[in-house]
Amino acid sequence: MTLIQLAANLASQPMGHASLAPISRLGIEAIAARIVHAAHRAQKLHYFEPVAETPGFPRALAHTITELRLQGIPADDLAATGAPGVDLALLMNLYLGELEQRSLADLPLLLRLAIEEIARGNHRLAGLPLVLLDLTIESQSHEKMLAALIEKSPAVFGTAITGDEQPLQSLLSAVPESLDDKTPVTTLDRVRYWLFSPQQPPAAAPDPQLIFSAPGENLECVEIARRIRALAEQGIHFDRIAILLRNVEQYQPLVEEALRRAAIPAYFSRGVARPDPAGRAFLALLACAGEGCSASRFAEYLSLGQVPPVDKHGAPVKQPLQWTPPDDEILANFPAPPPGLDIGKPGAAEEFTLSVPIGWEKLLVDAAVIGGHDRWARRLRGLRREFQAQLRDLDKEDESNRPHIERRIEQLKSLEHFSLPLIDMLGALPRAANWSEWLDRLSDLAQVALRHPESVLGVLSEFEPMGEVGPAALDEVYDVLSERLGLLRNEPPRRRYGQVFVGSIEEARGRAFEAVFLPGLAEGLFPRRALEDPLLLDEHRLNLAARLDTQDQRVARERMLLRYSAAAAASRFVVSYPRMDVVQARPRVPSFYALEVLRAAEGRLPSLREFEKRSARSAPARLDWPAPHDPNAAIDDAEYDLASLQAALQLRGAAAKGSARYLVESNASLARSLRNRGRRWRNRWSSADGLVDPDAATLEILATQRLSERSYSPSTLQAFAACPYRFLLQGIFQFRAREAAVPLEQMDPLTRGALFHEVQFELFRKLKASSLLPIGPESLSKILDIADHVLDHVAARFEDDLAPAIPRVWKSEVEGVRTDLRGWIQQVAAVQSEWLPLHFEFGFGLALDEHRDPQSTKEEAVILNGIRLRGSIDLVERHMQRNTLRVTDHKTGRALLNRPQHVGGGAILQPLLYALAAEKLLEQTVECGSLYFCTQRGDFSEMSISLDAQSRERLSRVLETISESIRHGFLPAAPQLGACTLCDYRPVCGPYEETRARRKQRDRLDPLIAIRNLP
C-alpha cells in the first residue's frame, strides 16, 4: 500500500462526516484557473500580472500551491519572502476559500484528516506493526502522518537505500544497520557500491552484458525484449524481470510494442494508454466548429467510429447521462459513484444501429463544405445533383461506374439526415463564453455525437470549478481539452505475477527483481534537466524556514533514481541508451549517468568513442535492416525472416539454393504470391497472367458475356486492343478505377464534360427551333449570342444544383468552357458545311429522359450478325444533296496524334460502331463517322472515317477477335506499347507488365497483334 492509498483509507470516514469530496489534479488546476481569473479581473495581482493570462500559469500555480501546503507554509510567511510571495499568498487564500466553499479536500487536507484519524486511534489500520520499504518522505505533511503512525505502532521496521537513509533515521530516531560492509564482487555489487562515489573504484574486467546502445528508442526496446527472452530460456521467470522507465510517456508505448511482438506478457503499473476514439472524435468536432464546420474535420470525426445510435430517420439520438470517475491517483481510492444517478440505464428513445459507410468520408471531402446548416444542405444537395449529372454523361460511354455513383447518391441521403443536426449544434457554439456555458454545451454535444461519451463527460466534469472563468474562445477550450481527451488509460490487472513488470523507477522502490533493465540513459533523457519552480524561485525559497526543494535537492533526487534502479536488481542490471534520435534524424550521446555506471563497474572511464563502439557491438541491429545476425535470436517472425534472408544473401553457389525455402512452406499466401509472380515472368501463359485457359465453369459464365449475349459500349470495346486484361476488368468485371483527388483549383473533369455536352445539346435544340442550322458564317454573330445565353443558363442551373465549393474557381472554369464553345462554333461556321444536324444526343439501349433526343430508343443496336451495342451519339447529320447520314462524337480532350484510316489498330472504334448503329436504327445510309475535338486542347480538329466495305471488314475482324477471346477465355495482361502509362488498372498489374508481356509466347497473341496492325 502506498502512502497516498493509506491516507485516503484513513481519511475517508472524517471526510464523510465533514461532507467533503476529494478533488483531482485537474480539478485543482481548474480552481487555480478560476482564482487567477478572479484576481486578475479585480486587478489584485502585481508581480504575476503580465503572465497571469498565459495558458500554463494555472497549472504551475496548482503545483506550487500544493507544494507549499504540503510543507505547511502559511500565507503570512509566504508574503514576507518578496513580491512573488505576496501574489502567491493572495492566490493561496483564494484557493483555500474555494476549497471550503465547495467542500473539497486536496492532498494536504487529506493528509491532515488522516493524521487526526490516527490520533483518535479508532481506525483499524492505526496501531498495527509497520514495515517501511524504501519510503520517500516527500513533504512535512507526509512526515507528520508517518510520525503519527509510528507513534501508534507497536513495532516498526524500515529500509532505505544508502544515501537516502537520513529522513528515515530522523523519523525513527535510530541508527540504521549498514549492509554495505561486504566487499563488492559481482558487476551489480560494484555498481551499487561505487555509484557516484567520490573515490576511484578499483579496476575490474568489463561486463559485456552491462550496457548496450541501439539506433533509436524503438530498437532499444526490441533489444530489451530479446534479452528478456534469453533470460527466460535460462529459467528466470517473467515476473522476476523489470523494465524501469524514467520517461514513462515516451518509452512505455515502445516497450509495449516490443513485448507484444516478442509474445512476452507484461504488467504495466500505470495501465496501458490507448488512443481514446471518443475523445479524439470529440476534438475533431470542436476543430470542425473552429474551422467553420469544415467537411474534412467532420470526416475525421466519422472515421473514428464513434457514430451514436440514430432514430428511425437517421438523426443522432441524445444518450442518457452516465457518471464516469476521473482518472486520478487520489480519486481512484474513492470508487463509489455519486448518489442519484442511474448508471447504465438505457434511454427511453428507440435507437437504431447505423453502419457508417466508408464513402461518407469521401463524400464530405468531395463536398468541401465550410459553413453552417444552409451551406451544408445546399452543398450536399448540389453534390447529389452533380452525381446525377455524371450518371447521365456516363450513359454515353459505359455503365461500369453506374452502380458506384448510384450507391454514393444513397449514401448522401443518409449523410444529410445524420450530419445536419450535428452541424446545427456546432454552428450554435458561442464564439466566446464562460466555462459554465461551455461545459453545458459540450456535455450536450458529447451525449448526442458520441457512441461512448463517458470518458469525455468525465473530463468535462473536472472543469466545473472553472464555471465563472471566462470568456474563453473556442480555440482556448480546444487547447485545454486536447491534453486530456487524446488518450484513454486502462487500469492494470490486479495481479502482476507471471508478467514482466514495466513501470517508473519510483514504483520499483521496495520491490526486488532478478534482472532490471533501465533504458534511456542518453543526454536529455536521463538525467532530466533540473528546473526551478517558475513561480517561486530558489532565491525566495531560501527565505522560508520550511524544507522546500532547491536545485541541489532536485539534482540529488535525480541521482537517487539511478540508485533505486540498481537496488531493485538481485543479480543482473542492464542499462542502455539510443544512439540516434530517429524523429529529428540526429545522433544522441550517452549521458554521464551511463558513463558513471561503467566507471563504477570497471573502475575506469573509457573515451567516448571507445564507449560508443563497445555499446553498439552489444546490439548490432540497424535502422535499414532491423534484425539480429542470428535468426534464432529473433523476437518475432518478421525479424526471423529478415535475419534468415540476410544470411541467405551471403551464401554463394549451391549453398544458396533452397536456403529460404522455409518461407513458402510456412506461409501459404506468400507461397502463392511468389509462385504467381514467378509464373508471370515465364514465357508460357498461365492463370497468373490474367484470364487464361479457365475451367469449364468459368467458360460457362463467360458465355453470357459474349458480344452477342449482352450489349457493350464502343469505348469498352476499344479497350481490348490496348490490353485484353483491361477489357476484362472494365467491360466484364466492371471494376471502376480508383478515384483520384481533384484539386479545388479546377472543375472535376466529368462535371466539365457533362456541362459542355449539356450546353451543346441545348444549343442545337435552340438553333433547330430558330431555323439556324446548319451553322454558317452569315448567322455566326447571332449563334454566338445564343451560345453565350445557353451557356449562362445551363451554367447557372449547374451552379445552383451543384453548389460549387469555391465560386471563383467555378466562374473561371465556366469562362474556359465559353472560350472552347465559341471557338468550336467559329470552326464549324468556317467550313460552310452541307451537313444538316438532325439528332442530338441520340441514345440507344439506354434509359430515356429529357436530356436525350426525342427519337432515342431503349432498343439496343444489333449490328454485324448479332453484335449488341448501347450508347449515345452526340450528333447525327444529313447531307443536303446526297441524303446520307454522318455521325459525330464530340471530344473535349486532346486530339489523336495518329489519324486512323479505319479502326486505328482496334483503338478507334467509336466512329464506325456509331455509324453502324445509326444505320441500323434510323434505317438510312450512313456515309461516315467522325470524331470532333471541340476544345482548344484538341485544336478544334476533326477526324472522319468512311463507312465503306473495307472499314466494315476490318471492324468485323476486330469484333470477331474480341468474341473469340471471350469464348476461349484468353484475356491476358498483354498491353500495347505505352498502354500501361495511363492505365487506370496499373495498381492491379504492377509496373512491369509490358516487360513481362514481351517475354511471353507470341503465337497466342497473333490475333491481337493482327488487329493492332490494322490502320
Side-chain angles (χ1 to χ4, degrees):
M1 180 180 292
T2 67
L3 203 58
I4 300 299
Q5 292 171 336
L6 177 60
N9 200 313
L10 291 167
S12 58
Q13 189 171 355
M15 287 176 60
H17 292 157
S19 300
L20 295 176
I23 185 171
S24 66
R25 177 185 58 83
L26 186 58
I28 295 175
E29 293 179 14
I31 289 182
R34 177 186 179 90
I35 62 175
V36 169
H37 174 76
H40 185 69
R41 185 173 55 184
Q43 297 182 351
K44 294 182 178 180
L45 295 179
H46 303 287
Y47 183 81
F48 292 126
E49 193 276 335
V51 297
E53 294 292 315
T54 56
F57 187 80
R59 174 172 296 181
L61 178 64
H63 177 270
T64 302
I65 288 180
T66 300
E67 182 186 8
L68 293 172
R69 282 177 44 74
L70 285 172
Q71 296 294 355
I73 298 176
D76 294 340
D77 293 352
L78 187 62
T81 61
V86 173
D87 282 359
L88 285 174
L90 168 67
L91 294 170
M92 182 185 289
N93 287 328
L94 292 175
Y95 172 80
L96 294 175
E98 288 290 335
L99 291 184
E100 182 178 359
Q101 179 182 351
R102 298 175 181 277
S103 299
L104 296 173
D106 60 357
L107 179 58
L109 180 54
L110 191 76
L111 293 172
R112 181 166 64 82
L113 293 174
I115 294 171
E116 294 173 357
E117 182 69 11
I118 295 171
R120 282 190 289 268
N122 297 327
H123 198 278
R124 59 185 178 85
L125 296 180
L128 295 177
L130 284 180
V131 177
L132 308 177
L133 296 177
D134 295 347
L135 198 62
T136 293
I137 303 174
E138 300 179 3
S139 69
Q140 189 177 32
S141 296
H142 291 82
E143 183 177 354
K144 288 182 178 180
M145 178 181 163
L146 282 172
L149 281 171
I150 292 171
E151 182 180 355
K152 295 290 184 179
S153 177
V156 180
F157 175 78
T159 65
I161 303 298
T162 300
D164 193 33
E165 69 277 7
Q166 183 59 41
L168 193 59
Q169 180 178 348
S170 299
L171 191 63
L172 296 176
S173 300
V175 178
E177 177 186 358
S178 176
L179 301 180
D180 289 340
D181 53 354
K182 296 181 181 180
T183 303
V185 177
T186 66
T187 299
L188 177 58
D189 291 339
R190 294 174 58 83
V191 170
R192 289 172 170 173
Y193 190 87
W194 295 107
L195 195 62
F196 298 118
S197 173
Q199 302 176 5
Q200 177 63 33
D207 184 353
Q209 301 297 325
L210 176 62
I211 189 166
F212 71 88
S213 68
E217 289 90 335
N218 57 335
L219 290 180
E220 183 185 8
C221 297
V222 167
E223 290 298 326
I224 291 176
R226 194 183 329 281
R227 283 161 168 77
I228 291 177
R229 287 172 62 103
L231 292 175
E233 291 176 358
Q234 298 173 16
I236 300 178
H237 296 172
F238 284 138
D239 53 22
R240 299 293 296 147
I241 301 173
I243 303 175
L244 305 184
L245 306 176
R246 180 65 182 97
N247 302 279
V248 178
E249 298 300 328
Q250 178 177 349
Y251 265 91
Q252 179 166 313
L254 304 177
V255 172
E256 181 185 349
E257 173 63 15
L259 298 184
R260 182 197 62 78
R261 289 178 53 191
I264 297 174
Y267 173 89
F268 295 91
S269 62
R270 299 191 181 185
V272 177
R274 291 283 185 270
D276 183 9
R280 295 194 175 193
F282 193 72
L283 291 176
L285 285 176
L286 295 185
C288 176
E291 297 176 7
C293 297
S294 70
S296 59
R297 288 295 192 175
F298 199 85
E300 180 184 350
Y301 152 71
L302 292 176
S303 70
L304 290 162
Q306 280 295 305
V307 174
V310 297
D311 59 20
K312 61 182 179 180
H313 302 294
V317 176
K318 185 174 182 179
Q319 300 190 73
L321 181 63
Q322 296 191 15
W323 181 81
T324 302
D327 178 19
D328 186 82
E329 181 184 8
I330 298 178
L331 267 63
N333 298 285
F334 300 90
L341 287 180
D342 295 328
I343 297 179
K345 186 177 180 180
E350 184 180 2
E351 297 177 352
F352 295 82
T353 301
L354 177 66
S355 178
V356 181
I358 297 176
W360 275 18
E361 299 168 39
K362 180 67 170 65
L363 291 173
L364 284 169
V365 174
D366 288 346
V369 185
I370 295 180
H373 178 280
D374 294 341
R375 176 65 177 170
W376 268 72
R378 182 168 175 260
R379 188 68 186 104
L380 293 177
R381 183 174 62 250
L383 185 59
R384 184 169 69 248
R385 291 175 179 171
E386 182 176 354
F387 287 151
Q388 292 169 346
Q390 293 178 6
L391 204 60
R392 291 193 300 269
D393 196 56
L394 281 176
D395 288 340
K396 293 172 54 57
E397 302 295 336
D398 64 83
E399 296 188 334
S400 62
N401 272 351
R402 171 177 284 274
H404 168 66
I405 295 180
E406 289 177 341
R407 185 167 59 251
R408 299 190 77 183
I409 291 175
E410 290 301 316
Q411 292 172 353
L412 264 177
K413 295 178 181 178
S414 301
L415 178 59
E416 287 184 61
H417 290 301
F418 176 80
S419 62
L420 293 182
L422 292 181
I423 293 301
D424 285 341
M425 295 188 72
L426 295 177
L429 291 177
R431 292 183 178 271
N434 288 346
W435 270 94
S436 58
E437 182 177 352
W438 276 117
L439 294 176
D440 291 340
R441 296 288 190 95
L442 297 182
S443 296
D444 291 341
L445 178 63
Q447 291 174 254
V448 172
L450 301 178
R451 178 172 292 274
H452 302 292
E454 294 82 10
S455 60
V456 175
L457 295 175
V459 171
L460 293 178
S461 66
E462 296 186 60
F463 285 94
E464 290 182 3
M466 292 177 58
E468 297 181 8
V469 176
L474 178 58
D475 56 346
E476 297 178 63
V477 174
Y478 179 91
D479 290 339
V480 171
L481 295 179
S482 61
E483 297 183 12
R484 289 295 304 270
L485 293 180
L487 295 175
L488 180 64
R489 190 173 297 278
N490 297 328
E491 289 299 318
R494 291 184 177 273
R495 292 178 59 84
R496 73 166 189 86
Y497 298 103
Q499 305 170 89
V500 173
F501 178 87
V502 182
S504 66
I505 299 174
E506 295 91 337
E507 291 168 320
R509 293 164 59 173
R511 303 177 188 263
F513 304 92
E514 283 294 322
V516 169
F517 292 87
L518 180 64
L521 269 71
E523 197 65 38
L525 296 179
F526 188 25
R528 292 180 182 174
R529 183 182 177 186
L531 300 175
E532 295 188 49
D533 187 313
L535 304 188
L536 191 62
L537 299 177
D538 287 356
E539 59 179 298
H540 300 293
R541 289 170 172 252
L542 295 175
N543 296 329
L544 293 169
R547 189 175 58 199
L548 288 176
D549 280 347
T550 59
Q551 201 71 350
D552 292 339
Q553 284 79 28
R554 298 184 191 104
V555 172
R557 188 184 302 116
E558 194 77 4
R559 288 191 172 193
M560 284 306 303
L561 291 177
L562 185 58
R563 287 183 175 273
Y564 291 140
S565 302
S571 62
R572 187 165 302 181
F573 182 53
V574 181
V575 299
S576 60
Y577 73 94
R579 58 178 181 267
M580 177 66 70
D581 186 341
V582 179
V583 176
Q584 299 186 14
R586 63 179 182 84
R588 287 189 184 274
V589 296
S591 68
F592 74 92
Y593 278 16
L595 299 174
E596 175 61 23
V597 169
L598 200 63
R599 186 192 75 92
E602 300 178 6
R604 73 182 189 93
L605 194 60
S607 67
L608 182 59
R609 181 174 296 276
E610 177 188 352
F611 178 86
E612 290 178 338
K613 287 183 177 180
R614 171 180 164 182
S615 57
R617 282 195 300 268
S618 300
R622 311 192 312 265
L623 284 175
D624 59 343
W625 198 274
H629 294 317
D630 182 6
N632 294 322
I635 67 169
D636 61 0
D637 291 344
E639 272 201 356
Y640 184 86
D641 293 344
L642 286 174
S644 299
L645 287 175
Q646 186 178 35
L649 291 174
Q650 295 175 354
L651 299 176
R652 295 292 181 268
K657 187 175 182 179
S659 58
R661 181 173 178 79
Y662 82 95
L663 289 172
V664 297
E665 294 176 346
S666 60
N667 191 317
S669 299
L670 177 62
R672 183 173 60 253
S673 176
L674 291 176
R675 290 186 177 113
N676 281 341
R677 179 168 295 188
R679 292 189 189 103
R680 291 172 69 185
W681 284 100
R682 294 174 183 171
N683 62 349
R684 296 191 305 273
W685 293 102
S686 69
S687 59
D689 298 306
L691 186 63
V692 176
D693 301 330
D695 55 21
T698 304
L699 288 174
E700 184 179 350
I701 297 175
L702 279 177
T704 64
Q705 303 298 312
R706 296 177 186 172
L707 303 189
S708 59
E709 297 298 324
R710 52 154 290 198
S711 62
Y712 286 86
S713 67
S715 60
T716 300
L717 296 174
Q718 289 179 161
F720 180 86
C723 178
Y725 193 56
R726 183 195 297 186
F727 168 76
L728 173 71
L729 298 178
Q730 177 182 335
I732 297 179
F733 292 164
Q734 295 192 1
F735 289 168
R736 64 180 183 88
R738 182 177 182 272
E739 294 184 1
V742 178
L744 291 178
E745 289 79 9
Q746 66 182 52
M747 189 185 297
D748 182 85
L750 281 177
T751 303
R752 183 185 177 91
L755 174 63
F756 197 92
H757 283 94
E758 182 73 12
V759 171
Q760 284 183 316
F761 177 69
E762 294 289 344
L763 177 62
F764 276 126
R765 291 179 60 178
K766 283 190 175 294
L767 295 181
K768 184 177 182 179
S770 303
S771 301
L772 293 175
L773 294 176
I775 298 174
E778 66 281 353
S779 57
L780 177 60
S781 178
K782 187 174 183 180
I783 291 175
L784 289 176
D785 290 340
I786 295 175
D788 286 338
H789 176 75
V790 169
L791 175 60
D792 291 339
H793 175 72
V794 174
R797 189 174 75 240
F798 267 59
E799 183 177 13
D800 184 64
D801 289 344
L802 306 183
I806 304 179
R808 177 183 55 80
V809 172
W810 173 264
K811 292 178 181 179
S812 175
E813 291 290 306
V814 168
E815 290 307 310
V817 172
R818 189 187 308 277
T819 301
D820 288 337
L821 181 66
R822 294 175 68 90
W824 166 68
I825 294 173
Q826 291 169 353
Q827 290 290 329
V828 172
V831 176
Q832 298 184 2
S833 175
E834 296 180 346
W835 293 96
L836 178 66
L838 293 180
H839 304 290
F840 330 113
E841 297 292 339
F842 178 75
F844 53 95
L846 303 173
L848 303 180
D849 58 35
E850 68 276 9
H851 298 280
R852 304 203 186 281
D853 190 272
Q855 300 300 316
S856 298
T857 176
K858 293 182 178 179
E859 298 180 8
E860 300 168 348
V862 182
I863 64 171
L864 299 178
N865 300 322
I867 305 299
R868 297 166 61 178
L869 290 179
R870 69 170 185 272
S872 181
I873 304 173
D874 288 339
L875 180 63
V876 179
E877 301 169 292
R878 185 180 68 239
H879 197 279
M880 290 185 289
Q881 280 75 37
R882 297 192 294 271
N883 202 34
T884 57
L885 300 182
R886 179 179 72 171
V887 299
T888 300
D889 190 62
H890 292 123
K891 300 293 184 182
T892 56
R894 298 186 184 276
L896 301 174
L897 296 178
N898 300 318
R899 302 177 71 91
Q901 296 182 20
H902 303 289
V903 294
I908 309 298
L909 303 181
Q910 281 180 317
L912 294 181
L913 289 175
Y914 280 144
L916 289 174
E919 186 176 70
K920 177 68 176 180
L921 296 171
L922 298 177
E923 299 181 349
Q924 297 184 52
T925 302
V926 177
E927 185 175 310
C928 63
S930 299
L931 297 177
Y932 201 125
F933 297 88
C934 49
T935 63
Q936 293 183 89
R937 295 180 62 201
D939 297 327
F940 301 106
S941 59
E942 183 177 10
M943 298 180 181
S944 183
I945 301 177
S946 299
L947 187 60
D948 52 23
Q950 191 174 20
S951 296
R952 293 172 188 265
E953 186 272 333
R954 288 177 173 172
L955 178 62
S956 297
R957 288 174 59 187
V958 173
L959 297 178
E960 182 181 355
T961 300
I962 299 175
S963 297
E964 287 299 303
S965 295
I966 297 175
R967 186 170 72 87
H968 292 102
F970 186 68
L971 296 169
Q976 199 170 17
L977 182 63
C980 292
T981 304
L982 299 177
C983 181
D984 292 328
Y985 302 100
R986 189 172 185 179
V988 177
C989 304
Y992 306 112
E993 208 57 56
E994 292 184 25
T995 304
R996 281 191 285 262
R998 288 195 293 268
R999 300 165 62 99
K1000 296 294 183 180
Q1001 297 170 343
R1002 311 299 293 174
D1003 54 340
R1004 300 194 67 176
L1005 295 179
D1006 286 345
L1008 176 63
I1009 296 174
I1011 66 173
R1012 286 175 176 173
N1013 291 329
L1014 294 176

